[in-house]
Amino acid sequence: MDEKTRELLRELQNGFKLETRPFLRIANKLGYSENQVLQTIKDCIEEGIIRRIGAAVRPEKMGHSCNALVVWQVAADKIDEVGNDAAGYREISHCYERECPPNWPYNFFTMIHAKTDEELKEIIQQIAQKHELSNYKVYATEQELKKTSMRYFPEESDGNDK
Amino acid sequence: MDEKDREILQMLQGRFPLDSEPYTKIGDKLWMDEVSVISRIARMIENGTIRYVGPFFDSRKLGYTGCLAAINVPEAEIEKAAEVINQFAEVTHNYQRKGEPNIWFTVIASSEARREEIFSQIKSETGVKEILKFPAKKLFKVKVDLD
């Protein structure tokens, strides 16, 4: 990635301004045309550097106040089946197979956002029953201690990392 | 938050228009004018429902290495531990959870060496015996898409 692209992506991660032509502002600031900015974003999506464009929301502000990390023990040959099914739930935002430390049997992680305790339990039970998972653990969210977006493309390390 | 807000949020979460006038485009799809779209988004940012509108990067594609980690500390030391953990810009999420371990956080570092450096500093400054590390093996989904 060249320095000009890095500079643009660094600018974009400040978030889009709420104005008629947010990309034009960025283009003018960095000496691009508006089209070049849009094209670069599209290219980065194509290359997978950008996963998606859009909003980050706070689930608890949307009435999803019963949030829990649920960790499951899933056999290796069932991971894809369970993973794809869990990913289909709107209430599940994060869904990963993870490497585990010794003495930790739970290799599948789901972050569930429900509106009520009942709903949370229902989702957990549905998944458990459907895939015959009996060994899992619920870590209810007690308190958010930090939530930010990562700042990529730091200026001081220009050219050093890839 | 009313039905219109929800419709806007849905579009913002999934289908942000890559267009020179994105908010007009959103308005066109939802039968609203641009001014209403922008003022509704502004209100949702102000009340904290939306915390960011922009691109989401794939940290791995950028050469970063991420890891979920957890430690267990006594209830009375949670605040202090949170302070230690949160001092790092590379820590993006940190939650207190019920059960053991009770503090769960994510680290996104520019190298594995840097990641381990952060872990060992957290370990020594909090005094915990161990940090449980759960690096991702396979991603099935990462997307908050609620209504």
Side-chain angles (χ1 to χ4, degrees), chain A residues 79 82-88 92-98 108-111, chain B residues 136 138-143:
Chain A
I79 274 282
V82 181
N84 291 325
D85 179 50
I92 295 182
S93 62
H94 295 68
C95 187
Y96 283 93
E97 179 189 6
R98 293 187 178 279
F108 182 64
F109 287 56
T110 51
M111 191 62 220
Chain B
K138 183 167 182 183
L139 165 69
F140 288 96
K141 181 185 189 183
V142 48
K143 186 173 186 224

Side-chain angles (χ1 to χ4, degrees), chain A residues 150-154 161, chain B residues 59-66 108-110:
Chain A
M150 180 63 190
R151 303 287 305 179
Y152 298 103
F153 323 107
D161 54 356
Chain B
S59 57
R60 286 196 199 191
K61 282 261 159 104
L62 294 170
Y64 285 73
T65 163
I108 300 178
S110 56

Side-chain angles (χ1 to χ4, degrees), chain A residues 1-13 30 32 40 152-162, chain B residues 57 62 64:
Chain A
M1 189 187 297
D2 58 37
E3 181 46 38
K4 202 131 191 275
T5 308
R6 289 175 61 94
E7 188 187 42
L8 173 58
L9 296 179
R10 188 185 303 135
E11 185 66 32
L12 288 170
Q13 73 180 339
L30 301 180
Y32 278 89
T40 307
Y152 298 103
F153 323 107
E155 286 189 66
E156 62 269 32
S157 72
D158 279 352
N160 291 333
D161 54 356
K162 61 168 185 171
Chain B
F57 296 99
L62 294 170
Y64 285 73

